[in-house]
Amino acid sequence: MNVKGVIERGMRNSWGVILELAVVMVPAIILVGVLEAAGIMPRLAVLLEPVMSWFGLPGEAAIALVVGFLVGPYGSVGLAVGLRLSPAEMTILGTMVLIAHSLITETAIAARAGANGLIVLGARLAAALLAGVLLGQLL
Amino acid sequence: MNWGVVLSDSLHQAGSALLRIAVLIVIAMIVIEALKESGWLEKISKCLQPVMQRLYLPGEAGVPVATALFIGLAYGAGVVIQMRREGHLRRSQLTLALLFIGLFHGMIEDTLIFVSVGGNGLILLGLRAAIALAVTVAVGFWLSRREQKRLAGQESESIVENCPIGHN
């Protein structure tokens, strides 16, 4: 095995991922900071608390969940860091978002490759909610 | 309200989170390259064949699934497109393969990103795997029942057409 080549290619690929992450995460963290300072976040939290409590997550985490579902895990991680979620909450949010993320793009890719997009989308969302309810009970 | 403080706090937080994540991303990417280079990816694809059969999929589906698990969804979907062109997969199997890939892909770097901000890797990976398997089996069972019903329907229709009494 060409160890040097492996390390070189690994490093090169990492740079792309880290850059992509930074571009999404930094604005997401700033957004949370601004929403908190402006007093919008606490109101949002109270509003969404009843739904999010099924998953053992605080109300504010709803934006990290929805952004994860629709846009992608990077934005979701950024928001979660900004919200200072606990390790248990990171585990719950992460499991749900990794099961169902970037649903717009990824469902389009699946449909393009020949799948029934509606089944893929519905089953992924259902699976994420199931994981959330399970972990909400356990953690 | 001091917006300067809000901004500098946020940037500080973002910086330290990114630093932690970056370290794990580099490790993940080197591991992925090593898996490709050493031929382990092919071995894993072969080992996945019996699992694929449990998921109502042909054994060859191990290749796109292993690709998606370690390299990413788009690459796995690319392999599925290739297999579809070669006529290896029926419509219901395409849906099942892409459902499983959708539920469970990019398992190294995506998991490590949440681990680096405090998540429990064992739960992130284990529960995701368990739910991906269970949901794919459930949908596969449902799709195969639906297919059988449709086939049974076609058979009874053809019996009616061929029945001499019906035509007289």
Side-chain angles (χ1 to χ4, degrees):
Chain A
M1 190 166 83
N2 175 5
V3 177
K4 198 172 157 241
V6 163
I7 293 175
E8 266 176 20
R9 263 175 287 140
M11 300 272 251
R12 210 177 320 131
N13 294 347
S14 319
W15 179 237
V17 176
I18 292 165
L19 212 66
E20 206 180 317
L21 251 165
V23 167
V24 181
M25 264 184 76
V26 174
I29 292 174
I30 294 173
L31 177 72
V32 172
V34 170
L35 288 178
E36 262 169 5
I40 296 169
M41 202 55 103
R43 264 177 271 169
L44 204 69
V46 171
L47 204 71
L48 295 165
E49 186 68 53
V51 181
M52 296 309 286
S53 66
W54 294 352
F55 314 129
L57 290 172
E60 307 95 292
I63 55 162
L65 195 59
V66 172
V67 164
F69 281 167
L70 296 179
V71 185
Y74 298 169
S76 183
V77 170
L79 293 166
V81 168
L83 291 166
R84 296 185 171 81
L85 295 189
S86 73
E89 290 161 353
M90 282 291 187
T91 305
I92 299 172
L93 177 78
T95 308
M96 293 180 78
V97 165
L98 290 186
I99 287 174
H101 56 252
S102 323
L103 288 171
I104 300 172
T105 341
E106 292 194 355
T107 306
I109 292 175
R112 190 70 219 256
N116 180 328
L118 218 60
I119 294 179
V120 172
L121 176 70
R124 281 184 78 182
L125 263 179
L129 298 180
L130 175 68
V133 170
L134 267 173
L135 287 176
Q137 296 294 317
L138 293 172
L139 297 182
Chain B
M1 196 172 311
N2 190 340
W3 294 107
V5 172
V6 171
L7 190 68
S8 78
D9 270 2
S10 300
L11 285 177
H12 186 77
Q13 246 185 313
S16 78
L18 268 173
L19 211 63
R20 264 175 294 152
I21 292 172
V23 173
L24 288 175
I25 296 257
V26 171
I27 296 170
M29 288 306 178
I30 291 175
V31 169
I32 290 167
E33 284 303 316
L35 279 171
K36 281 200 271 184
E37 170 95 10
S38 62
W40 264 90
L41 199 60
E42 284 167 47
K43 285 182 203 165
I44 293 167
S45 308
K46 291 208 181 89
C47 297
L48 282 174
Q49 286 185 3
V51 183
M52 292 303 106
Q53 276 147 13
R54 290 286 174 95
L55 297 178
Y56 298 83
L57 287 169
E60 304 105 283
V63 179
V65 167
T67 307
L69 276 177
F70 294 100
I71 306 176
L73 175 107
Y75 298 90
V79 180
V80 172
I81 291 174
Q82 189 55 38
M83 290 178 72
R84 181 195 184 191
R85 282 205 193 109
E86 292 164 3
H88 287 305
L89 296 170
R90 294 197 309 274
R91 168 81 166 163
S92 64
Q93 291 175 327
L94 287 168
T95 298
L96 279 181
L98 288 156
L99 171 60
F100 186 74
I101 286 173
L103 288 163
F104 200 21
H105 61 260
M107 62 177 252
I108 301 181
E109 79 268 35
D110 283 1
T111 306
L112 284 179
I113 288 173
F114 275 98
V115 168
S116 61
V117 293
N120 179 322
L122 215 62
I123 296 176
L124 281 162
L125 211 53
L127 188 69
R128 190 178 176 200
I131 288 192
L133 288 168
V135 168
T136 310
V137 167
V139 173
F141 179 72
W142 172 60
L143 285 179
S144 73
R145 280 259 311 253
R146 215 172 59 160
E147 230 165 37
Q148 274 165 13
K149 264 189 199 159
R150 204 183 305 144
L151 285 176
Q154 278 169 4
E155 259 168 33
S156 63
E157 270 170 32
S158 68
I159 287 167
V160 170
E161 269 175 34
N162 294 334
C163 178
I165 302 165
H167 286 288
N168 283 343

